[in-house]
Amino acid sequence: MFSNHHITSAICYVLLLLTATTMGALLEQQPLLLKYHNGELLKGRITVNLLWYGHFTPIQRSIILDFINSLSSPPGAPLPSVASWWKTTEKYKGGSSTLVVGKQILHDNYSLGKYLKGTHLVSLASSFNDLSAINVILTSEDVAVDGFCSRCGSHGSTGPVHGKARSAYVWVGNPEAQCPGQCAWPFHQPIYGPQAPPLVAPNGDVGVDGMVINLATLLAGTVTNPFNNGYFQGPATAPLEAVSACTGVFGSGSYPGYPGRVLVDKTTGASYNVNGINGRKYLLLAMWDPQTLACKTVV
Ligand SMILES: *[C@@H]1O[C@H](CO)[C@@H](O)[C@H](O)[C@H]1NC(C)=O
């Protein structure tokens, strides 16, 4: 039996962009503090199962798969790397989380339709029948999801109500057709705030490169706050977590509408800030560092 305990930590760009100016002022005055709420964190070797709902091309899948495989890869990718970015999660109560891709389901027959509710996400997550894993649902650009665009993805947990086992799940949608201004910024013009020319997406796919930003954010939120009693700031119903607390900050010197200093690939003109396996490059948000109490930018 699965029940929906809660859907936590939506990444809410609209709200954050509107409050970004106030936040920026606050950040200068006081350190950002994510409180630890005494709950369990996900540590050790963790399986990540992937359910692709809708149509994804093999290239789109490989961009995301390479990203997940880059998180815990042995040294290989040049620094700054995806793995070095992920390492900051080890500072949360100590201990590493090694994410290993497990099963994949290609759910390309739209059997639940093209409009999914939270309950659909929970039942898709449970199709892996794997309570110890992080079950990730990825929805294609033609699939609407309840709350999509006011948030770019979400994470939460399912599991027996009285039993001990609980399993974490993540949902991320491809925003390309629905809200690239919110969920694929800075690869697309923002819908609110100052307008700057969009950056070139590192893997040439505005929607999927945007998904990687949001997936990275949610995976970090999942391991550091899997059951809504880990590390976060603010109310448990709208928590700011490890990376969502740094929304809008891709590099140093960022301010609302400007993602900050990033690296540029001389050949393609693409913007990125971390290297992955197979020669891939990605652009990720900063992660809050529990030692310095600040969003740690790579560049
Ligand atoms: C649709 O695809 C899923 C995943 O492969 C499968 O489990 C399900 O039975 C399929 N549904 C239909 C109606 O074909």
Side-chain angles (χ1 to χ4, degrees):
M1 276 297 289
F2 286 88
S3 65
N4 189 355
H5 278 188
H6 45 241
I7 297 182
T8 57
S9 71
I11 314 171
C12 184
Y13 283 100
V14 180
L15 179 73
L16 280 163
L17 279 171
L18 290 174
T19 57
T21 317
T22 337
M23 291 265 302
L26 279 174
L27 291 185
E28 281 160 35
Q29 285 160 16
Q30 58 194 56
L32 181 61
L33 188 65
L34 270 61
K35 221 179 125 198
Y36 175 50
H37 297 77
N38 296 314
E40 188 188 337
L41 268 55
L42 301 184
K43 298 286 184 187
R45 188 184 162 92
I46 300 157
T47 301
V48 177
N49 297 315
L50 302 173
L51 188 145
W52 306 88
Y53 188 92
H55 179 71
F56 286 90
T57 66
I59 293 172
Q60 290 180 319
R61 282 189 273 121
S62 73
I63 294 169
I64 289 177
L65 206 55
D66 283 348
F67 170 70
I68 300 173
N69 284 324
S70 298
L71 287 166
S72 307
S73 74
L79 292 169
S81 66
V82 174
S84 64
W85 177 86
W86 182 250
K87 255 186 128 34
T88 299
T89 61
E90 291 178 15
K91 296 185 181 177
Y92 288 69
K93 221 180 141 233
S96 59
S97 315
T98 305
L99 305 189
V100 183
V101 174
K103 278 187 229 148
Q104 293 190 61
I105 296 178
L106 299 184
H107 197 124
D108 56 5
N109 57 23
Y110 298 91
S111 65
L112 300 178
K114 289 193 174 178
Y115 173 69
L116 302 184
K117 295 183 179 162
T119 48
H120 291 130
L121 299 177
V122 171
S123 84
L124 287 170
S126 69
S127 55
F128 288 105
N129 223 339
D130 189 347
L131 279 174
S132 61
I134 300 175
N135 296 312
V136 177
I137 321 303
L138 302 148
T139 51
S140 58
E141 62 182 58
D142 52 350
V143 176
V145 177
D146 202 18
F148 195 16
C149 294
S150 64
R151 56 187 185 175
C152 308
S154 60
H155 79 84
S157 63
T158 62
V161 180
H162 299 295
K164 210 172 175 291
R166 284 181 295 186
S167 120
Y169 68 91
V170 169
W171 156 67
V172 182
N174 184 336
E176 174 127 33
Q178 295 174 61
C179 43
Q182 287 113 305
C183 299
W185 183 80
F187 307 130
H188 190 278
Q189 299 274 131
I191 50 159
Y192 300 106
Q195 303 288 311
L199 305 182
V200 177
N203 297 285
D205 188 320
V206 168
V208 173
D209 276 307
M211 286 180 89
V212 169
I213 295 173
N214 303 317
L215 177 61
T217 302
L218 289 158
L219 287 174
T222 298
V223 300
T224 58
N225 185 33
F227 307 117
N228 233 353
N229 52 15
Y231 282 85
F232 62 88
Q233 189 192 50
T237 47
L240 288 178
E241 299 177 319
V243 178
S244 60
C246 305
T247 293
V249 183
F250 290 91
S252 56
S254 68
Y255 51 82
Y258 172 61
R261 211 159 295 138
V262 297
L263 302 171
V264 176
D265 184 300
K266 288 193 182 70
T267 316
T268 62
S271 290
Y272 70 103
N273 57 12
V274 282
N275 295 288
I277 59 165
N278 296 334
R280 290 216 183 266
K281 299 177 186 328
Y282 299 99
L283 185 69
L284 304 180
L285 285 165
M287 193 185 307
W288 183 73
D289 184 328
Q291 279 167 355
T292 61
L293 307 183
C295 290
K296 183 177 174 182
T297 53
V298 204
V299 187

